[in-house]
Amino acid sequence: MNVKKMTLEKKVQSKGYEISLRLKAFFKERSIFTVNLIGSPGGGKTTLLEALAPRLKGRAAVIEGDLQTDEDRLRIERAGLPAYQINTQGACHLDAGMIERALDEFPLSQIQFLFIENVGNLVCPAGFEIGEAMKIAVLSVTEGDDKPAKYPNAFHVSSAMVITKTDLLPYLHCDVGRMERDALQANPALKIFRLSAQAGEGVNALIDWLEEAAASQ
């Protein structure tokens, strides 16, 4: 039974990888820079996208992944970006097939950036490619400074870490330096941004970096 289960998992992962490669080619042909946002529930992924929206309006779109509801899609649309909702009905991550099917209903003409907000957790989304140019790990100071040490793979596979809600640091016992050291231990090439979406601090630096990354794709 265990052998059959492992064989099935390998087949599923292989098929997903094939679709991911197809999506990568699709996005590259259309010069769409695709970012897979991973992070825990409440880590600030949607709020981050809302903060990015004013500078990216007319050039960016969002695919939202959640188990249920379309609340995040509605938030993104109110912020001024087109959005598409995927409800996984219990699955702990988005897969490449879900993204490919979404594109049949979600046209991306005139779009330079596509942000995919993955289902909230630091484990499953880190293990799957969904056609993205890069992953960005979003980690809030309210989650505790031990998360990069506990979930190193999320930071190992990411190109950047965005530390959110830094305006709350005066009220918390959170060692941001430890967050950064542990994340860099997992990935020495990791780019790190400290950001408060509410205060607007660090948003422009992140967008500038994304613009440079997209230009060099």
Side-chain angles (χ1 to χ4, degrees):
M1 177 65 82
N2 288 337
V3 172
K4 289 182 179 178
K5 182 179 179 182
M6 288 177 64
T7 301
L8 178 60
E9 285 178 350
K10 286 181 179 179
K11 286 182 178 178
V12 171
Q13 289 174 349
S14 176
K15 182 64 175 176
Y17 183 67
E18 290 175 12
I19 298 173
S20 175
L21 291 178
R22 195 156 66 228
L23 287 170
K24 282 180 183 288
F26 173 88
F27 293 135
K28 190 162 188 178
E29 286 170 8
R30 289 157 180 78
S31 298
I32 298 172
F33 192 75
T34 305
V35 177
N36 182 3
L37 291 177
I38 64 175
S40 302
K45 298 185 297 298
T46 310
T47 302
L48 172 62
L49 290 170
E50 289 173 321
L52 299 178
R55 268 192 61 182
L56 296 178
K57 195 173 293 186
R59 299 188 294 136
V62 178
I63 293 176
E64 285 287 344
D66 276 305
L67 272 67
Q68 299 283 351
T69 85
D70 63 350
E71 293 183 17
D72 287 351
R73 175 184 67 82
L74 295 174
R75 285 177 58 183
I76 295 302
E77 289 178 343
R78 285 195 293 269
L81 299 181
Y84 183 90
Q85 184 72 50
I86 298 175
N87 289 135
T88 65
Q89 307 297 327
C92 61
H93 64 91
L94 297 174
D95 63 42
M98 293 175 184
I99 301 303
E100 189 172 52
R101 290 190 293 274
L103 296 179
D104 290 337
E105 303 177 37
F106 190 48
L108 297 175
S109 58
Q110 310 303 315
I111 292 300
Q112 181 185 4
F113 292 96
L114 175 64
F115 295 93
I116 302 172
E117 183 180 342
N118 220 310
V119 178
N121 71 87
L122 283 169
V123 182
C124 304
F128 292 84
E129 296 284 332
I130 53 176
E132 71 271 23
M134 66 166 61
K135 288 182 176 72
I136 292 181
V138 179
L139 179 66
S140 74
V141 297
T142 57
E143 295 173 65
D145 51 29
D146 58 352
K147 295 304 177 288
K150 288 183 174 181
Y151 305 98
N153 192 49
F155 305 92
H156 175 70
V157 300
S158 294
S159 298
M161 173 174 72
V162 177
I163 301 173
T164 63
K165 307 183 185 182
T166 55
D167 53 303
L168 298 178
L169 279 171
Y171 313 102
L172 301 169
H173 295 291
C174 177
D175 184 350
V176 176
R178 181 197 172 181
M179 278 183 170
E180 295 177 343
R181 288 191 299 273
D182 288 344
L184 289 170
Q185 177 107 20
N187 180 2
L190 194 70
K191 181 72 175 177
I192 297 175
F193 297 89
R194 298 187 185 188
L195 187 144
S196 168
Q198 295 289 342
E201 297 170 356
V203 175
N204 285 334
L206 175 59
I207 294 177
D208 290 344
W209 181 74
L210 288 170
E211 297 268 17
E212 291 177 9
S216 63
Q217 180 180 239

